[in-house]
Amino acid sequence: MTTANDLSSLLQKIHSTSPTSPQIPSLLTKAKLSLLHLNALIPTPITSPSLLLLARETLETGALYSIRLQNPDAFTRYFQQLQPFYELPSSAYSSSSSSSADSASKGQRSKITGLYLLLLLTKGDYAGFHTLLEGLEVEAASGGANNKGQGQGLEGDRFIQYPVMLEQWLMEGSYDRVWAATKREGVPSEEFGVFTEVLVITIRSEIASCSEKAYPSLPITNAKNLLFLDSEGSVVEFARQRGWAVKDGRVYFPLQQRGQGMGSEKEILVASGQVIENTIGYARELETIV
């Protein structure tokens, strides 16, 4: 018969094993089966505080491992399974009212929620992003179950503020700032870095769409900086994928992308040009620094 001690031993083995080890998936499967046998996959009023902590730790470990494997679907499933645990009051995790009990009740909720917000951004699910964020804000304002003792609340939470900051810049069209934020040491943890390339691809696509509307052509050198590509060869390959023409050191955008509905798109063109000028200027500053 499976016991809480068996589950604890499994978790210790997972944490002591290299994250790249092929043993991790099977160990996580065994841990989740243990939760099922212990009737702890979903918290109940009779689940002991110690078992609640082990159950939440198991699911959080699986969520973070899914991120490292770049498996967003598995991460989403773990995130959803964790919600009943995150909704529990601090008292459910310990009979003590000490600050250590408050700390234990939080686990890695902040990091995993921030990662899920970032995942929603990479998918372009802004409605889901704001729905989740508004729920967090309401909970923080009302002193929610796991908000006790958090001090500055969401504003002081670097895991939550990172995707919030990126979303604001994306809405402003400040793609250069988003790109810089994914490249600097300001990334909250290594797991967040997994989404870097996905975000850059999103930015690149947005800038490409703006470029098609704002200009008939651009020099390959400017296009390389503008699109955050590593080489002119990468520009040529990207142009081929977008159906652009490359000739005499310039990238030419399809004529059908421009000139249609100019009157109604005047403001869009102005905004597009501003985004591009800002990004090119930032790229030049980076080249100067390098």
Side-chain angles (χ1 to χ4, degrees):
M1 181 178 178
T2 302
T3 67
N5 286 335
D6 294 331
L7 178 56
S8 179
S9 297
L10 271 174
L11 286 173
Q12 290 177 13
K13 187 172 183 179
I14 291 172
H15 294 319
S16 64
T17 302
S18 170
T20 59
S21 171
Q23 293 183 335
I24 297 294
S26 62
L27 290 173
L28 279 171
T29 298
K30 290 179 181 179
K32 291 189 71 173
L33 284 174
S34 296
L35 289 181
L36 190 61
H37 293 150
L38 292 167
N39 195 30
L41 197 56
I42 298 174
T44 67
I46 62 172
T47 307
S48 68
S50 59
L51 188 53
L52 284 175
L53 289 170
L54 288 172
R56 189 192 60 197
E57 182 182 352
T58 300
L59 297 176
E60 288 179 335
T61 301
L64 295 177
Y65 181 70
S66 298
I67 288 290
R68 296 188 181 100
L69 288 182
Q70 299 186 36
N71 187 337
D73 292 335
F75 173 73
T76 298
R77 289 192 293 271
Y78 276 112
F79 177 79
Q80 292 169 345
Q81 289 177 308
L82 279 164
Q83 296 317 295
F85 292 91
Y86 289 157
E87 292 169 0
L88 293 173
S90 301
S91 58
Y93 289 96
S94 176
S95 57
S96 170
S97 60
S98 66
S99 58
S100 61
D102 291 333
S103 177
S105 73
K106 298 168 191 172
Q108 300 200 68
R109 180 188 185 186
S110 179
K111 176 188 284 189
I112 289 174
T113 302
L115 284 165
Y116 188 68
L117 285 169
L118 191 54
L119 174 61
L120 294 175
L121 279 188
T122 64
K123 291 182 174 181
D125 186 358
Y126 295 105
F129 180 93
H130 284 285
T131 297
L132 176 56
L133 184 59
E134 288 170 9
L136 294 172
E137 290 172 343
V138 169
E139 180 182 333
S142 62
N146 290 323
N147 191 51
K148 184 179 179 181
Q150 284 189 337
Q152 296 179 343
L154 295 183
E155 292 78 10
D157 189 327
R158 62 194 180 103
F159 294 121
I160 301 298
Q161 285 306 305
Y162 183 70
V164 169
M165 175 181 64
L166 293 181
E167 190 270 344
Q168 291 174 347
W169 289 338
L170 284 171
M171 292 297 98
E172 295 170 0
S174 301
Y175 303 126
D176 52 328
R177 301 181 74 180
V178 176
W179 180 79
T182 63
K183 295 294 183 183
R184 294 177 179 173
E185 295 180 355
V187 177
S189 71
E190 62 176 326
E191 291 88 1
F192 283 79
V194 172
F195 291 106
T196 296
E197 184 58 30
V198 180
L199 271 178
V200 170
I201 290 172
T202 301
I203 295 168
R204 190 173 291 138
S205 178
E206 292 288 342
I207 294 175
S209 297
C210 290
S211 301
E212 290 170 341
K213 295 177 181 179
Y215 295 115
S217 68
L218 281 173
I220 288 181
T221 301
N222 280 359
K224 178 174 74 72
N225 295 334
L226 179 67
L227 297 169
F228 308 117
L229 291 168
D230 297 326
S231 66
E232 294 187 3
S234 298
V235 176
V236 173
E237 176 60 23
F238 184 79
R240 185 189 65 78
Q241 295 172 1
R242 297 281 302 194
W244 299 343
V246 180
K247 182 179 179 182
D248 300 328
R250 296 187 71 89
V251 175
Y252 291 87
F253 305 119
L255 293 176
Q256 63 267 26
Q257 299 291 338
R258 300 177 294 109
Q260 298 179 359
M262 291 294 288
S264 61
E265 293 187 358
K266 181 178 179 180
E267 292 182 358
I268 296 177
L269 296 181
V270 171
S272 299
Q274 187 62 53
V275 168
I276 291 170
E277 294 301 330
N278 287 345
T279 308
I280 289 177
Y282 186 79
R284 286 172 178 161
E285 289 179 10
L286 286 180
E287 285 187 337
T288 301
I289 294 171
V290 174

